Amino acid sequence: MDNILELKNVSKRYGESGFALDDISFALPYGSIMGYIGENGAGKTTTIGCILNTLSKDSGTIHLFGKEMNDKETLLREDIGVVYDGDNFPGYLNAERLANVMRELYANWDDGLFQEQLTKFKLNAKQKIKTYSKGMTMKLAIAAAISHHPKLLILDEATTGLDPVMREEILDIFLDFIQDENHSILLSSHITSDLEKVADYITFIHDGKIILSAKKDDLIYRYAVMRCTSEQFSRLNKADIIAYRKRDYQIDVLIADKNAAERKLKGAVIDTVSVDEIVKSRFINHALWVLAGIMLSVLFVVLTIAIHGNIYFYYDVRDPLMLFCCGTGIALLMGSLFYPSIYLLGTDKSEIIMIISLLGSVGITVGIIWMLNAAYDFQSVSDAEFYLNVTIYMVIVFVSFVLSYLLTTLIYRRKEC
């Protein structure tokens, strides 16, 4: 038995939101640390819930220590230490009372080790948890997690909120923990620099799908980004492509074996990349669009207040409301144009695409307003008719945005960089 944790074809779907873990598989060997990375909402916490059996999976198998976790396997929980990103314990407790509770829950609870950790982290055992800072609560959760001598630590953003010095100390504790070859750690984190220091394996999840799972050294020294032309890209084996991004004069392709790629495509530029660069490359389009939309919305709100002022709002809300709705609508339409365009054309053209998207969204808005006014022969309308027109406009732009988002993220998400 080589793996302390093994997931095979695990799926979990949420009916209301539509989000799903989609047939994910990875394995964590004994004596190692796996960094589990992905954006917010990618499925990291859902994965952890399925592993701990606090969420029921729809399909697939999860084995811990060679056994499948279920409600009857309570002894397995003795060997697992868990730290969540959030409130791990009731705020009205203090560390002293928490130790009393944990002593009843875990047969291997070690008061001496817990007190040693409290001293190391400089935590007052009599201070109520609700008065702790976020960093202090994370220290307490880590201290409690390792004080019942688990074999597997599952940590959800455990170094979040800690200063760099304390993060280094925590990472040292993790490294000490896996000196025992029967111990392992699954570390979910956004801080990729921490993972590069301590992780043996990296698993990357995006939109509920595992994009890659590999040894960290393989990721750094074998995985690479190939800068190739369209002609070179067309000659690549699709099975070798993990993800790609189009630029002005080249296509950046994330590949799993740079040596094999060099043999297949002579003359292509191939660069090694860090974990942080691989992660950031997948989210730059999202960040650019969000920034553009926020800036445009704020601009129109400011213009609304500057032109009309608060007194005008009191007497007649129609004009400023229309201006505000147009601003919000243009921001949504801009996103509808900008988001798929930057995916297709590449981030190097982001400034040009942003300007074109802005002009296009303004033009669409003017056209919609013209058609709505034409329906009333460009005559004055009643309040009821005005609010109906505003509602129609907002529905049109919102539906356009949703359709654009679905088109880009749901159809092309496997190849978006």
Side-chain angles (χ1 to χ4, degrees):
M1 183 172 59
D2 298 326
N3 299 319
I4 194 170
L5 170 65
E6 190 169 351
L7 287 77
K8 288 185 178 179
N9 309 118
V10 174
S11 296
K12 168 66 178 178
R13 179 173 296 277
Y14 293 93
E16 294 181 0
S17 66
F19 174 80
L21 283 183
D22 189 0
D23 202 36
I24 68 171
S25 300
F26 64 85
L28 172 60
Y30 278 90
S32 59
I33 298 177
M34 174 177 284
Y36 195 40
I37 58 177
E39 77 275 27
N40 287 332
K44 300 190 299 297
T45 300
T46 299
T47 303
I48 291 173
C50 291
I51 292 171
L52 298 174
N53 201 37
T54 57
L55 290 175
S56 58
K57 61 185 184 297
D58 296 334
S59 60
T61 59
I62 300 174
H63 286 92
L64 288 156
F65 317 109
K67 299 180 180 179
E68 188 160 8
M69 172 74 87
N70 56 52
D71 292 336
K72 296 180 180 179
E73 290 288 352
T74 56
L75 291 179
L76 287 182
R77 302 179 192 276
E78 289 276 345
D79 292 327
I80 304 172
V82 183
V83 177
Y84 286 108
D85 177 25
D87 296 329
N88 287 270
F89 308 113
Y92 60 82
L93 293 178
N94 57 29
E96 201 171 67
R97 293 177 62 191
L98 175 64
N100 294 334
V101 174
M102 301 297 277
R103 195 180 302 115
E104 298 298 322
L105 294 175
Y106 293 101
N108 295 326
W109 178 257
D110 188 334
D111 279 312
L113 179 58
F114 185 60
Q115 292 301 321
E116 179 184 321
Q117 298 303 317
L118 293 182
T119 302
K120 179 183 295 185
F121 291 146
K122 299 179 182 179
L123 296 175
N124 186 341
K126 297 185 180 298
Q127 183 178 347
K128 287 190 175 181
I129 296 173
K130 66 182 178 182
T131 66
Y132 281 5
S133 66
K134 183 173 183 179
M136 293 169 69
T137 59
M138 295 307 293
K139 294 175 192 176
L140 178 64
I142 292 170
I146 65 178
S147 293
H148 60 88
H149 298 285
K151 295 178 181 176
L152 172 64
L153 282 179
I154 298 179
L155 309 164
D156 190 359
E157 303 291 347
T159 57
T160 300
L162 302 179
D163 61 75
V165 174
M166 183 51 65
R167 285 215 320 269
E168 289 290 338
E169 293 182 17
I170 295 294
L171 295 179
D172 286 341
I173 291 174
F174 295 164
L175 291 173
D176 288 340
F177 179 79
I178 62 162
Q179 293 307 304
D180 185 328
E181 293 184 354
N182 291 318
H183 291 175
S184 296
I185 298 176
L186 178 65
L187 175 57
S188 165
S189 179
H190 284 102
I191 307 175
T192 53
S193 59
D194 287 350
L195 299 180
E196 290 193 7
K197 291 175 184 175
V198 301
D200 302 295
Y201 295 84
I202 298 292
T203 297
F204 183 19
I205 185 171
H206 176 67
D207 281 348
K209 296 178 181 290
I210 298 296
I211 303 301
L212 60 86
S213 185
K215 289 183 178 181
K216 183 189 67 178
D217 289 344
D218 286 346
L219 189 63
I220 294 175
Y221 299 113
R222 291 188 58 197
Y223 283 69
V225 172
M226 173 182 287
R227 326 287 184 182
C228 59
T229 64
S230 297
E231 187 274 332
Q232 290 172 324
F233 180 74
S234 65
R235 288 159 47 199
L236 284 174
N237 186 335
K238 300 305 180 185
D240 296 334
I241 300 174
I242 298 175
Y244 68 84
R245 178 174 63 206
K246 293 182 179 180
R247 293 184 179 273
D248 280 343
Y249 304 108
Q250 68 184 36
I251 301 175
D252 295 343
V253 185
L254 179 62
I255 52 177
D257 190 338
K258 67 177 181 179
N259 293 327
E262 286 174 340
R263 291 193 297 269
K264 291 178 182 178
L265 292 179
K266 301 294 185 181
V269 178
I270 300 178
D271 297 328
T272 56
V273 291
S274 67
V275 174
D276 192 47
E277 288 170 323
I278 292 174
V279 174
K280 285 181 178 178
S281 69
R282 295 194 64 88
F283 310 127
I284 187 168
N285 289 357
H286 299 66
L288 285 171
W289 175 81
V290 171
L291 179 61
I294 291 174
M295 288 173 61
L296 194 63
S297 296
V298 170
L299 173 62
F300 272 82
V301 171
V302 170
L303 284 175
T304 300
I305 297 174
I307 293 172
H308 295 288
N310 291 331
I311 295 177
Y312 193 86
F313 272 87
Y314 181 77
Y315 288 104
D316 186 358
V317 298
R318 286 175 53 163
D319 286 349
L321 177 62
M322 189 62 185
L323 183 57
F324 177 78
C325 288
C326 284
T328 304
I330 289 173
L332 290 172
L333 287 170
M334 184 178 176
S336 301
L337 298 172
F338 178 84
Y339 195 34
S341 297
I342 201 169
Y343 162 75
L344 294 171
L345 301 178
T347 57
D348 286 350
K349 295 182 179 178
S350 59
E351 294 85 359
I352 297 173
I353 295 172
M354 193 177 298
I355 294 172
I356 294 174
S357 299
L358 175 59
L359 295 176
S361 60
V362 170
I364 293 172
T365 293
V366 171
I368 293 174
I369 292 174
W370 186 89
M371 286 188 292
L372 291 174
N373 285 329
Y376 296 97
D377 296 324
F378 300 98
Q379 302 296 317
S380 297
V381 295
S382 65
D383 285 348
E385 291 167 335
F386 168 78
Y387 290 122
L388 176 61
N389 285 345
V390 170
T391 301
I392 292 173
Y393 169 71
M394 293 306 296
V395 168
I396 290 172
V397 298
F398 182 76
V399 169
S400 299
F401 172 76
V402 171
L403 290 176
S404 173
Y405 180 84
L406 292 175
L407 175 68
T408 306
T409 60
L410 298 186
I411 296 178
Y412 298 111
R413 65 185 177 184
R414 290 302 298 270
K415 296 302 179 185
E416 183 189 66
C417 281

